[in-house]
Amino acid sequence: MSASVYVDICRTDAKLPVSRRIARCAKKALGCTDLPGLSVKKEPSGKPFFPDMPGLHLSITHAGDYWACAVAQMHVGVDLERPRRCSRASIERRFFHPDERVWLEGKSDADFFSVWTAKESFVKLSGVGITNGFSGFSVVDDGGLASSAYGVFFYHLSDVPGYKLCVCTKHAAHIEVALCF
């Protein structure tokens, strides 16, 4: 049986405070109804964590009109992006692996952002962020977007119309998404 990841996606103008959204995900991940005093802090790298619950992991992302968090009892990374026109060629040269650049030839902006969300969810899982090593790994394989690589799993979700969303986990997982928009 696979582990579960709980993803909460809200509009950025939602009335529910961020702290309550994170608590809602954490309660689902732990299978409880109450988490008094739940706190979130940031590592020096910026990665959020629960200081009083070292076995519970958190990742946060936002783009355009949406905000999302992922909570699990394993390391997790999440990224959300709204496909848009950008300086693809220069971004690809700087941040993408040669295999990704080849795969993206002739592909859409949506495909570009599918690669980007997979890469960013991977570095959020690891806690290293976007560094010069961002181009040193590839999230595509002979079949296109990889569903697993480097000992992690990638889940490309289509829960937010017009956006790309990717969850990255250390183990195979069941992804449960809650939408509030």
Side-chain angles (χ1 to χ4, degrees):
M1 185 171 146
S2 61
S4 293
V5 175
Y6 298 89
V7 179
D8 196 283
I9 303 169
C10 292
R11 291 188 56 85
T12 53
D13 62 0
K15 303 293 184 226
L16 190 62
V18 169
S19 60
R20 298 251 328 263
R21 294 180 216 165
I22 292 171
R24 181 170 56 194
C25 267
K27 287 188 274 190
K28 287 180 185 175
L30 292 171
C32 64
T33 57
D34 192 29
L35 281 175
L38 179 70
S39 66
V40 175
K41 296 201 175 191
K42 288 185 180 180
E43 294 176 357
S45 66
K47 183 176 175 64
F49 71 100
F50 298 110
D52 301 323
M53 299 182 171
L56 194 61
H57 302 274
L58 167 69
S59 184
I60 298 172
T61 185
H62 60 87
D65 296 328
Y66 296 95
W67 176 94
C69 71
V71 177
Q73 292 187 43
M74 68 175 143
H75 290 282
V76 63
V78 64
D79 190 49
L80 173 72
E81 296 289 339
R82 182 181 60 211
R84 60 199 178 279
R85 294 189 59 90
C86 61
S87 302
R88 276 181 55 172
S90 63
I91 293 169
E92 287 177 23
R93 275 192 307 277
R94 181 172 178 196
F95 294 110
F96 285 15
H97 187 275
D99 293 345
E100 294 164 338
R101 293 194 305 261
V102 167
W103 182 77
L104 282 167
E105 287 177 7
K107 296 229 176 359
S108 69
D109 289 342
D111 293 319
F112 170 88
F113 281 99
S114 290
V115 171
W116 184 268
T117 58
K119 290 179 82 70
E120 194 162 339
S121 68
F122 178 74
V123 298
K124 284 182 174 185
L125 174 137
S126 67
V128 299
I130 300 172
T131 64
N132 291 336
F134 205 61
S135 63
F137 66 94
S138 176
V139 297
V140 300
D141 58 23
D142 292 339
L145 286 170
S147 59
S148 65
Y150 310 103
V152 300
F153 295 84
F154 298 101
Y155 298 91
H156 293 273
L157 309 175
S158 57
D159 295 275
V160 184
Y163 285 73
K164 294 296 179 179
L165 175 68
C166 186
V167 174
C168 183
T169 63
K170 285 241 178 193
H171 307 285
H174 166 75
I175 311 296
E176 184 176 320
V177 177
L179 305 172
C180 54
F181 42 86

